[in-house]
């Protein structure tokens, strides 16, 4: 959780989670191959229906495997999730 008394703590926490996302992306890519999409909210090709800061997606014949970095709201912890549809 960010420290409410430290205005920079949320920025440091976000940087930490971005690094964790990159580490998880490397691990997933080693197992699944290169993703079909990697990007941040606002990038061309970012899925409109997705509520996340960053995502990586691997298209499969049976669906999509995705790695997401989410930030729900100010002061709420960041999450990294993996989904399969």
């Amino acid at each position: 959780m960010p420290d409410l008394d430290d205005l920079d703590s949320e920025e440091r926490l976000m940087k930490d989670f971005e690094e964790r996302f990159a580490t998880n992306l490397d691990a997933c890519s080693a197992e699944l191959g290169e993703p079909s999409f990697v990007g941040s909210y606002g990038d061309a090709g970012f899925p409109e229906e997705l509520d996340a800061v960053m995502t990586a997606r691997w298209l499969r014949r049976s669906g999509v495997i995705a790695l997401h970095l989410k930030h729900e709201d100010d002061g709420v912890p960041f999450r990294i999730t993996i989904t399969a549809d």
Side-chain angles (χ1 to χ4, degrees), residues 2-31:
D3 179 352
L4 300 178
D5 295 326
D6 179 359
L7 298 177
D8 295 326
S9 70
E10 190 170 329
E11 188 69 31
R12 286 191 304 273
L13 188 59
M14 182 62 180
K15 183 176 169 73
D16 176 52
F17 270 82
E18 286 173 349
E19 291 169 0
R20 291 180 192 203
F21 179 86
T23 298
N24 283 289
L25 177 57
D26 289 344
C28 289
S29 295
E31 291 292 322

Side-chain angles (χ1 to χ4, degrees), residues 13-66:
L13 188 59
M14 182 62 180
K15 183 176 169 73
D16 176 52
F17 270 82
E18 286 173 349
E19 291 169 0
R20 291 180 192 203
F21 179 86
T23 298
N24 283 289
L25 177 57
D26 289 344
C28 289
S29 295
E31 291 292 322
L32 302 171
E34 288 300 310
S36 57
F37 177 83
V38 177
S40 299
Y41 180 79
D43 289 350
F46 193 90
E48 289 182 23
E49 76 283 357
L50 184 61
D51 181 23
V53 177
M54 299 172 75
T55 191
R57 297 180 125 196
W58 292 265
L59 300 178
R60 295 293 184 252
R61 200 173 301 171
S62 60
V64 176
I65 298 172

